Amino acid sequence: MKNVGKKTAALLLSVLLLASCSNSGGNNGNTAGETNQPTAAASSGTSASPAGEVSGGVNATPSPTPSPQDAVPEASSEPAQAEVQPAEAEVPLLYHMNKNYDIIPNDEGTPRRVVLLTFDDGPKEADLINSIMDTLDKHKAKAIFFVNGYRVKEHPELLKLIQTRGGIIGNHSWDHITLKDKPYAVVKKQIEDVQKAVKDITGEAPRFFRPPFGAGGDVGKKVAAENGMLAMNWSIGSLDWEIKESDADKTKKLIRNITDQLHSGGNILMHELPWTAEALDTLLTTLESKGYSFVDPRSIELKMR
């Protein structure tokens, strides 16, 4: 029995020693797998941000999350669109005028089958001007309106109407007199007074000059050149000035007068007359049916060659 007691006591002592060893580990009370080493973000002096972003510096602290009312709208990546006012397109110089007053293309590729439309002796009446301009707009055509100074003085609003409607204003002298036999001073005044009057009203001086009755002489050409204008007569006369209000078939007469002389580059003389305005749509339709288009006067060089 004494041996059994000694064995039991020895067994109990072993159990107590084993229990004491299991309570004395080397982890200082930390759970398995945990360490006291700083995280990578902390050791680099930065705070971690979502999606790979990095914010702050060594001493930075994380920014608080903004509330919806404090949120700043994200800037658009699209550039701001400034309002741009359309500028008037520059018209290239595609044509010149020859000594027969025809309009000639400068290059082979430019259309030859064209005519120049012109109206003399205005401005007369708003209804006439608007009728002519409506037809020109319909056919996408431009024309020169050769005006007299005394008419401009009487009705400056009609000159402004021509400009507003897109007409090209030309100089037809002040009093519509024959200039070729007049002294230089008279011709100069007849032409330059119109230049000034037109510029005062529209802001632009005429670029084209046509002498009354086609009789400007060398002195008329000289004064026109001194004022930067191209002097011209015509190569196709409509003879609308010979048609009378009482004439039958006025439209047919005018169209026949023009088509009988029709040729490429033709410089067509017409006037601000009721029957001309009335016939204009049919005339332009007829010319188009024959393959002609209408040259923009702004595309004509201001030097004859």
Side-chain angles (χ1 to χ4, degrees):
M1 291 295 294
K2 291 181 179 179
N3 290 336
V4 171
K6 290 180 179 180
K7 288 180 179 179
T8 302
L11 180 60
L12 290 172
L13 180 62
S14 299
V15 170
L16 290 173
L17 288 173
L18 287 172
S20 175
C21 289
S22 65
N23 288 330
S24 61
N27 59 7
N28 295 323
N30 288 331
T31 340
E34 290 183 354
T35 69
N36 285 331
Q37 297 297 322
T39 64
S43 64
S44 66
T46 63
S47 60
S49 299
E53 294 178 358
V54 177
S55 63
V58 174
N59 298 318
T61 56
S63 300
T65 303
S67 62
Q69 61 267 28
D70 294 332
V72 179
E74 184 179 355
S76 173
S77 60
E78 295 294 327
Q81 297 295 321
E83 291 187 10
V84 179
Q85 297 298 326
E88 184 177 352
E90 188 75 19
V91 179
L93 297 177
L94 302 176
Y95 295 89
H96 65 274
M97 193 179 69
N98 66 14
K99 293 181 180 180
N100 293 324
Y101 308 111
D102 286 326
I103 308 305
I104 309 299
N106 293 338
D107 300 310
E108 288 296 328
T110 303
R112 301 184 63 86
R113 209 169 178 81
V114 297
V115 291
L116 175 65
L117 305 175
T118 69
F119 298 87
D120 286 12
D121 295 357
K124 290 182 178 179
E125 300 174 15
D127 287 346
L128 275 178
I129 293 168
N130 281 320
S131 175
I132 292 170
M133 291 305 309
D134 287 346
T135 302
L136 293 175
D137 288 347
K138 176 182 177 180
H139 293 267
K140 297 181 173 57
K142 292 287 186 182
I144 304 175
F145 291 76
F146 285 103
V147 299
N148 295 125
Y150 77 92
R151 292 187 185 276
V152 169
K153 183 179 179 180
E154 291 172 356
H155 294 288
E157 75 282 0
L158 296 182
L159 184 76
K160 193 67 179 175
L161 174 62
I162 293 173
Q163 181 194 40
T164 302
R165 293 294 310 263
I168 312 302
I169 297 171
N171 186 324
H172 200 40
S173 84
W174 189 272
D175 289 310
H176 202 278
I177 60 175
T178 302
L179 299 175
K180 68 175 183 178
D181 297 325
K182 300 294 188 291
Y184 174 84
V186 172
V187 176
K188 182 178 177 69
K189 182 172 178 57
Q190 282 284 320
I191 293 175
E192 292 186 352
D193 282 359
V194 176
Q195 291 295 95
K196 182 179 185 306
V198 171
K199 186 170 184 180
D200 287 346
I201 295 168
T202 67
E204 300 177 8
R207 302 170 64 223
F208 302 98
F209 170 68
R210 174 176 282 159
F213 315 109
D218 290 338
V219 66
K221 293 178 181 178
K222 175 178 172 60
V223 175
E226 290 171 351
N227 285 271
M229 287 188 289
L230 176 65
M232 69 169 72
N233 282 334
W234 59 90
S235 60
I236 297 177
S238 67
L239 303 180
D240 58 355
W241 61 93
E242 294 184 355
I243 296 174
K244 297 179 177 60
E245 180 66 39
S246 58
D247 287 349
D249 299 327
K250 292 186 288 293
T251 296
K252 290 182 179 179
K253 285 184 178 180
L254 188 144
I255 293 174
R256 185 170 60 248
N257 288 342
I258 292 174
T259 55
D260 284 350
Q261 307 169 65
L262 190 59
H263 60 273
S264 293
N267 185 338
I268 302 176
L269 167 64
M270 294 175 283
H271 293 79
E272 283 187 32
L273 293 169
W275 43 90
T276 303
E278 182 182 339
L280 189 60
D281 185 30
T282 304
L283 170 64
L284 300 191
T285 300
T286 301
L287 295 177
E288 288 171 327
S289 71
K290 295 179 179 295
Y292 284 85
S293 58
F294 313 109
V295 67
D296 188 330
R298 297 170 298 176
S299 69
I300 303 171
E301 294 178 355
L302 299 183
K303 183 178 180 181
M304 183 184 293
R305 57 186 173 105

